Amino acid sequence: SDFYKLAEVIEINGGVRSGITEMEFTGGKDKSYKKTVFETGVKYSYSKSGMVYGRYGMGYRVPATDEYYDSYSGSFMESLKPQESSDFEIGIKDYFEYIGKIESSLFYSKLKDEIYYDNDEYINKNRSGKTKRKGLEIKREQTIWDIESYQSVSYIKTELEETGKEIPGVPKLKGAAGFNWEITENSKINIEAVYTGKK
């Protein structure tokens, strides 16, 4: 990946990633995957601490070993394909003296051959058609002395493109809050609370 400055406050970046994954199984059927993806983005720094940005990236995930091979039945999911996605995001980041660091972003993702676990058949499959996710995420971080506090909340709307229904198992609302306290060089305390909506 690399970046290029158009001006002192504008930066363009881009990158390419290519990978080969090979899985070998004793007495089983080997599998190999090859894919090249890229991403690009632009960032505008409107102040010393603040910036707005936009990015587009391609995603690619091969099935994990335990997704491709089902140890319960001892069978291989030969029809299982890698999952591909196109991801868009726009956001803003800034720091405020009495509030801390604030990040906010809008995102949209479209997936093809999404990998999921079928609870009825007890195997991993690819969803037919494409799936969509779009939403908003807000994060805040602040450090006072040796205590770092943080909060985040995200709203996500999902859709199975074929039917127009929501994707099962994905909550609309998620939130988290907590703090890290570095008591000494060798000891830390971390407390976190996480909220996950209905799914």
Side-chain angles (χ1 to χ4, degrees):
S1 64
D2 202 358
F3 71 92
Y4 177 74
K5 281 195 172 185
L6 287 179
E8 192 61 33
V9 295
I10 300 175
E11 184 179 297
I12 293 175
N13 61 71
V16 176
R17 178 169 56 93
S18 185
I20 299 172
T21 303
E22 295 182 352
M23 291 190 280
E24 297 179 6
F25 296 88
T26 303
K29 300 181 180 180
D30 298 344
K31 198 78 172 178
S32 64
Y33 303 98
K34 183 179 179 180
K35 186 70 175 179
T36 299
V37 295
F38 72 90
E39 69 173 14
T40 185
V42 61
K43 178 178 79 173
Y44 170 67
S45 301
Y46 58 83
S47 70
K48 288 184 178 180
S49 63
M51 60 172 244
V52 292
Y53 67 91
R55 63 169 289 274
Y56 165 76
M58 297 169 65
Y60 183 75
R61 183 175 85 78
V62 301
T65 305
D66 59 351
E67 290 173 325
Y68 176 63
Y69 174 71
D70 179 28
S71 58
Y72 179 76
S73 64
S75 58
F76 293 86
M77 306 294 109
E78 291 188 72
S79 61
L80 198 60
K81 303 173 187 174
Q83 172 181 298
E84 300 180 35
S85 68
S86 295
D87 306 298
F88 300 86
E89 183 181 354
I90 56 171
I92 183 169
K93 299 179 183 181
D94 209 336
Y95 177 83
F96 302 93
E97 188 174 356
Y98 299 106
I99 300 173
K101 181 182 175 184
I102 300 286
E103 296 182 33
S104 181
S105 62
L106 290 166
F107 58 87
Y108 173 82
S109 182
K110 194 169 188 177
L111 285 83
K112 176 186 175 185
D113 296 320
E114 181 178 354
I115 298 170
Y116 77 103
Y117 184 74
D118 189 314
N119 287 308
D120 295 325
E121 297 186 32
Y122 306 108
I123 59 172
N124 293 283
K125 291 182 173 181
N126 294 107
R127 291 197 190 279
S128 60
K130 295 179 180 178
T131 57
K132 299 176 184 176
R133 289 168 171 80
K134 55 186 174 182
L136 167 70
E137 184 173 34
I138 300 171
K139 298 179 183 178
R140 174 192 168 272
E141 294 178 6
Q142 186 177 34
T143 302
I144 300 175
W145 299 299
D146 295 323
I147 300 174
E148 178 188 290
S149 64
Y150 52 92
Q151 300 84 37
S152 69
V153 64
S154 61
Y155 173 80
I156 183 168
K157 184 173 174 57
T158 65
E159 183 185 347
L160 296 164
E161 197 172 63
E162 273 190 338
T163 63
K165 294 182 179 180
E166 293 180 350
I167 301 171
V170 182
K172 282 187 178 178
L173 193 63
K174 290 178 71 177
F179 71 85
N180 290 309
W181 180 20
E182 188 171 336
I183 303 169
T184 68
E185 275 188 34
N186 302 315
S187 59
K188 292 182 181 181
I189 290 178
N190 173 254
I191 295 177
E192 184 175 48
V194 177
Y195 170 79
T196 302
K198 292 180 180 180
K199 56 181 180 177

